[in-house]
Amino acid sequence: MFYKYVAKAASLFCLFISLAAKDRPNILWIVSEDNGARWLGCYGNPVLPTPTLDKLAREGFRYTKCFASVGVCAPQRFTWITGINAVSAGTQNMRSSIKIPDSIRFYPELLRELGYYVSKGNDAKTDYNMESKRADEMWNDPSNLKWNKLKANQPFFHVINSHLTHESRTFGDYNMNENIPPDALNLASYHPNIPEMRYVYDKYNTCLKKMDSAVATWLKELEQNDLSDDTIVIYSSDHAGVLPRSKRFLYNSGTHCPLIIRIPEAYKKYYPKQKIGTTIDALVSFVDFPKTWLSVAGARPDLLAQMQGINFFDKDQILNQRYVYSFRQRMDNRYDMARSVRDSKWLYIKNYMPFVPNSQVVAYTQRQSSLRAWQAYHKKGKTNNLNGRFFKKTRDINELYEYNNDYDNVINLANNSLLHPKLLELQEALRKWQLTIYDSGFVPEDDMNRLVTEHNMTVYDFVRDADLYPLEKYINIADLSLENDPQNVGEFKVGLFDEYLGTRYWSTLGILNLTFTDGIVINDAIKSTLLCKLNDDSESEVILSYVAWALIRLGERKAGFNFLKKMVDKTYSPRTILNILDWMEEPEATSLITYNYLRASDHGSKTLNTMLPKLLSRAPPDLVELIQKHEKLKAELRALKKYSQSSSSVATSSNKVAVSIELKIAEIREKIMHELINFG
């Protein structure tokens, strides 16, 4: 009898645990890479490549104004995993592996503490753009999708990441004899209607179809395992994209993302509206995601303290969210700094480096035939004012778009006097946000790394110390640098010698910006100050490189290029030198890049990818031909060495061929150096 009561008690306990688990839903989060909202049928793509996701939207809720924090994956994944905007922790630069404080918690860790089984699988991704010993330990299972295990470990939180729509899926050459692309029904207004562009549109719509089919399989498996009634299904992309002028940018094309959520009736308390199948027009930011997931899991407020977003399932919080924000910094090897804020109607973008063209070449993107064709189309003078604007040498400092009616963000209304109050409102909102989240982008990346090493701190902690990082002062001088007012030169002259590196940096950029403004004459006293500054060996090499560029633009070419030549040979910030040389129009810049190309190719440096597009597009034809031959021979040599590793017998014969190729490479290098001498 005793054992009978024990068995009954155990059974009741198990039932209690089961019911308690069902008080909180399972969460399945499906993430596709690189596709913006407009690629889905339910968001307006006339090709209709996503019937499964369109059906999911009818069964749930479709959010129409969901925006990524940044238009590229790794910084966004840091923002997701911590609930902290990457720009608040120094992890905004692509592929930066910045150290973060141990006190920062990851949302999977917190879910585990709340009793959730957390896993990710099927092309799981761990690209968090940070350095942390706990990064691999936060998941119960970091790499597998096993339905039986999920079923046995409820409540669960599982992430599926699909690579089927990644940018790389659009790579490959267009062959006019083999490819006859259909009309691009969803062609953006800023893209030319050329075969190569239509080809990649068609190719990417096919990617969407494949991804949608995979989603159908996962949803079917969820149902077959009797988990649908207990699982909230979330679908989103990781940012927007993926054709040229989308991924990595702050326009709708780079940040407007799909968000579809299906909520079982048992958890209808989370319904954002009473009727399923409706759309939600409230603003949602990607930084809101982890806080929302944790709130559903029953997290206490103290567990959410570090997080900078809102719980968008909370109706009061989402109704009070007037603005959402995004940021852009270094993308691969290419520098930039821009921030954006938007309300329910207007998008404002602030370009802190207006001398950086939108079209600066990110080497990875060159693998897409549509971009190469667009570049060639523009070079031939065939683009118009709309689809050629991407290639302007400089950018507007302020951009303002009525993004609901101008989805492609091509009508900049920042100079419309009637909208000046709105512009000021959004600028002030952006400033308040930057101060609130401690925007870490106001000191150059390489200098920030040196400063935090010197103080034995993380960037996260460093920027929260006003004695080390006076953010409000930095924002003020950065704003001044963008006014393009010669009356500010005196303040910049003083700022060049300020105790704070950030002030010296933005004072330098303030003078540089003036050199791009027609009708402004900078006096000889400023030139003399800059020349004096150039000889300050204690100054940041990043700052001095911009000083050299300003001097070149002011006519002091010899002094400026001599300094940059010295920096090419030895600097802690080679990216800065290469970016500045790439942004320049002067022929001496091409010579220096060629010189550095030869040095870097000896060491297999990744910076080669930054240099080649510049050389191949602007160098004299004879030099271009030599560089192309040099690259071809290097590729042959790499392939031969890889092949020779297969066996010792192969290695012997391959060595003779390798010696011959190396002699040809040496000969080509001599010819390149000869061209350099002739080129000046």
Side-chain angles (χ1 to χ4, degrees):
M1 182 68 72
F2 171 76
Y3 293 108
K4 184 178 179 181
Y5 284 120
V6 170
K8 189 172 182 179
S11 176
L12 288 171
F13 177 75
C14 290
L15 178 62
F16 169 76
I17 293 296
S18 175
L19 289 172
K22 296 205 174 192
D23 284 343
R24 296 181 299 168
N26 303 315
I27 300 174
L28 175 64
W29 183 12
I30 299 172
V31 180
S32 60
E33 297 190 59
D34 292 4
N35 61 283
R38 278 296 179 94
W39 286 98
L40 273 67
C42 57
Y43 282 91
N45 185 351
V47 179
L48 301 175
T50 54
T52 302
L53 290 171
D54 299 346
K55 180 174 180 287
L56 188 71
R58 294 192 296 271
E59 297 170 348
F61 302 93
R62 180 171 65 86
Y63 289 75
T64 63
K65 293 181 178 176
C66 176
F67 298 94
S69 307
V70 55
V72 74
C73 60
Q76 181 56 67
R77 289 177 190 277
F78 174 87
T79 301
W80 271 346
I81 208 71
T82 62
I84 298 169
N85 286 283
V87 75
S88 180
T91 59
Q92 68 271 22
N93 295 297
M94 186 65 172
R95 303 281 184 266
S96 55
S97 298
I98 293 294
K99 291 182 179 178
I100 63 170
D102 290 337
S103 58
I104 290 180
R105 306 294 306 281
F106 307 132
Y107 82 78
E109 292 177 326
L110 299 174
L111 283 170
R112 290 177 72 173
E113 289 182 15
L114 293 167
Y116 269 73
Y117 178 85
V118 295
S119 57
K120 58 184 175 67
N122 197 83
D123 194 14
K125 197 153 186 173
T126 57
D127 200 359
Y128 304 126
N129 216 41
M130 66 179 179
E131 185 180 319
S132 172
K133 296 177 181 177
R134 306 190 333 269
D136 296 328
E137 302 169 357
M138 65 180 83
W139 304 90
N140 292 107
D141 184 342
S143 57
N144 297 295
L145 172 58
K146 295 182 177 178
W147 294 108
N148 59 341
K149 202 162 188 177
L150 293 177
K151 193 171 184 178
N153 288 278
Q154 301 182 65
F156 65 76
F157 181 98
H158 187 86
V159 182
I160 297 176
N161 184 84
S162 173
H163 196 71
L164 291 170
T165 51
H166 187 264
E167 178 179 21
S168 58
R169 300 301 175 108
T170 66
F171 293 168
D173 293 331
Y174 166 75
N175 187 322
M176 61 181 298
N177 297 318
E178 297 179 4
N179 308 120
I180 305 176
D183 290 340
L185 300 180
N186 54 331
L187 185 76
S189 62
Y190 49 80
H191 281 155
N193 190 5
I194 54 179
E196 296 87 347
M197 191 67 72
R198 296 195 299 272
Y199 166 70
V200 176
Y201 267 83
D202 182 54
K203 194 172 187 177
Y204 199 59
N205 274 314
T206 300
C207 292
L208 267 289
K209 293 175 183 177
K210 292 178 180 178
M211 180 271 290
D212 188 78
S213 178
V215 172
T217 298
W218 296 321
L219 293 179
K220 184 177 181 180
E221 290 171 348
L222 183 76
E223 186 173 355
Q224 288 173 341
N225 284 275
D226 298 322
L227 292 168
S228 292
D229 291 342
D230 302 315
T231 304
I232 292 178
V233 176
I234 301 155
Y235 164 75
S236 75
S237 60
D238 63 347
H239 51 77
V242 66
L243 274 80
R245 192 197 174 269
S246 57
K247 181 177 178 178
R248 302 175 184 88
F249 290 92
L250 298 180
Y251 303 117
N252 280 347
S253 56
T255 60
H256 183 217
C257 298
L259 174 61
I260 298 169
I261 301 179
R262 187 180 73 185
I263 304 172
E265 188 174 0
Y267 306 103
K268 64 190 307 179
K269 64 181 179 180
Y270 297 116
Y271 282 8
K273 287 186 178 179
Q274 289 185 347
K275 186 179 179 182
I276 64 171
T278 55
T279 56
I280 311 302
D281 297 326
L283 289 167
V284 175
S285 169
F286 270 15
V287 76
D288 300 333
F289 281 20
K291 195 171 204 173
T292 303
W293 312 158
L294 285 162
S295 297
V296 170
R300 305 181 310 274
D302 60 296
L303 286 180
L304 306 174
Q306 78 179 30
M307 299 193 171
Q308 296 173 345
I310 66 164
N311 168 16
F312 65 79
F313 277 176
D314 184 308
K315 292 180 175 62
D316 291 332
Q317 290 187 46
I318 195 169
L319 287 175
N320 289 326
Q321 179 148 268
R322 292 183 60 195
Y323 309 106
V324 294
Y325 308 87
S326 302
F327 49 88
R328 169 179 162 91
Q329 208 89 15
R330 176 173 58 76
M331 297 291 168
D332 293 357
N333 284 316
R334 305 317 307 263
Y335 281 121
D336 195 6
M337 179 174 172
R339 303 288 183 266
S340 73
V341 55
R342 63 173 82 220
D343 60 16
S344 59
K345 182 178 180 181
W346 297 96
L347 164 64
Y348 169 65
I349 299 173
K350 186 170 191 172
N351 293 306
Y352 282 95
M353 302 174 76
F355 47 81
V356 175
N358 270 339
S359 59
Q360 67 171 343
V361 175
V362 175
Y364 188 69
T365 66
Q366 289 294 111
R367 302 182 191 185
Q368 193 178 104
S369 59
S370 60
L371 176 57
R372 299 195 304 272
W374 191 11
Q375 291 165 336
Y377 192 71
H378 178 73
K379 197 171 182 179
K380 292 175 182 176
K382 294 185 176 182
T383 53
N384 57 35
N385 288 335
L386 182 53
N387 57 42
R389 191 181 308 162
F390 180 67
F391 299 97
K392 282 177 59 180
K393 299 300 181 184
T394 59
R395 292 176 298 177
D396 295 329
I397 293 169
N398 297 307
E399 299 181 61
L400 181 66
Y401 302 103
E402 189 179 359
Y403 68 87
N404 296 318
N405 295 322
D406 174 22
Y407 188 84
D408 288 340
N409 306 149
V410 293
I411 305 171
N412 184 5
L413 300 171
N415 293 325
N416 186 324
S417 59
L418 296 177
L419 295 172
H420 191 62
K422 173 56 68 174
L423 183 69
L424 292 177
E425 174 201 326
L426 294 174
Q427 287 174 332
E428 182 59 25
L430 179 62
R431 177 188 177 89
K432 286 181 179 178
W433 176 75
Q434 289 175 295
L435 289 168
T436 300
I437 59 102
Y438 299 96
D439 189 326
S440 66
F442 286 88
V443 166
E445 178 185 11
D446 289 331
D447 284 326
M448 177 64 83
N449 290 340
R450 289 164 66 87
L451 286 171
V452 297
T453 300
E454 177 186 329
H455 288 87
N456 193 28
M457 299 173 73
T458 63
V459 177
Y460 182 90
D461 291 325
F462 184 87
V463 299
R464 283 159 174 76
D465 187 330
D467 291 331
L468 298 174
Y469 188 80
L471 178 55
E472 189 164 14
K473 178 178 180 178
Y474 287 170
I475 292 177
N476 289 342
I477 189 66
D479 285 349
L480 207 64
S481 78
L482 297 174
E483 289 182 0
N484 287 336
D485 185 347
Q487 297 298 318
N488 295 330
V489 167
E491 191 159 346
F492 296 148
K493 185 177 179 181
V494 173
L496 288 173
F497 301 95
D498 192 85
E499 64 176 309
Y500 287 105
L501 187 149
T503 302
R504 303 195 302 274
Y505 172 70
W506 288 104
S507 296
T508 303
L509 293 195
I511 296 172
L512 177 64
N513 284 333
L514 287 171
T515 69
F516 286 91
T517 307
D518 293 337
I520 291 181
V521 178
I522 296 178
N523 60 45
D524 290 340
I526 294 298
K527 288 186 190 179
S528 297
T529 301
L530 293 175
L531 286 166
C532 177
K533 188 71 176 174
L534 201 60
N535 295 314
D536 182 358
D537 292 336
S538 66
E539 183 56 281
S540 149
E541 292 176 2
V542 176
I543 291 175
L544 292 179
S545 299
Y546 283 105
V547 168
W549 189 15
L551 282 166
I552 290 167
R553 292 189 59 79
L554 291 171
E556 299 290 341
R557 296 166 77 108
K558 183 176 180 180
F561 277 114
N562 281 345
F563 178 83
L564 292 176
K565 168 64 165 56
K566 182 174 70 174
M567 287 294 100
V568 163
D569 286 327
K570 188 178 182 180
T571 178
Y572 63 77
S573 187
R575 280 196 188 109
T576 297
I577 306 301
L578 289 172
N579 274 274
I580 288 174
L581 291 172
D582 183 70
W583 298 328
M584 285 183 180
E585 295 297 314
E586 290 79 4
E588 295 97 323
T590 303
S591 297
L592 273 180
I593 291 179
T594 308
Y595 171 72
N596 199 45
Y597 160 77
L598 291 175
R599 291 177 68 254
S601 64
D602 285 340
H603 305 99
S605 172
K606 291 182 179 179
T607 57
L608 284 171
N609 290 332
T610 307
M611 294 177 257
L612 276 172
K614 169 87 171 187
L615 295 179
L616 298 178
S617 65
R618 300 189 192 178
D622 290 346
L623 185 55
V624 169
E625 184 179 352
L626 287 170
I627 290 170
Q628 288 174 330
K629 287 181 179 178
H630 187 256
E631 284 298 300
K632 184 178 179 180
L633 287 169
K634 280 170 52 191
E636 289 178 10
L637 186 61
R638 285 193 301 269
L640 184 65
K641 287 181 177 179
K642 186 176 180 180
Y643 175 66
S644 67
Q645 293 172 358
S646 59
S647 70
S648 57
S649 59
V650 169
T652 304
S653 59
S654 296
N655 285 340
K656 294 179 181 179
V657 181
V659 169
S660 174
I661 294 176
E662 287 171 347
L663 288 172
K664 291 179 182 177
I665 289 174
E667 183 181 337
I668 293 288
R669 290 170 67 85
E670 284 187 19
K671 290 181 179 179
I672 291 174
M673 290 302 295
H674 182 71
E675 285 293 322
L676 272 182
I677 293 169
N678 293 336
F679 191 44

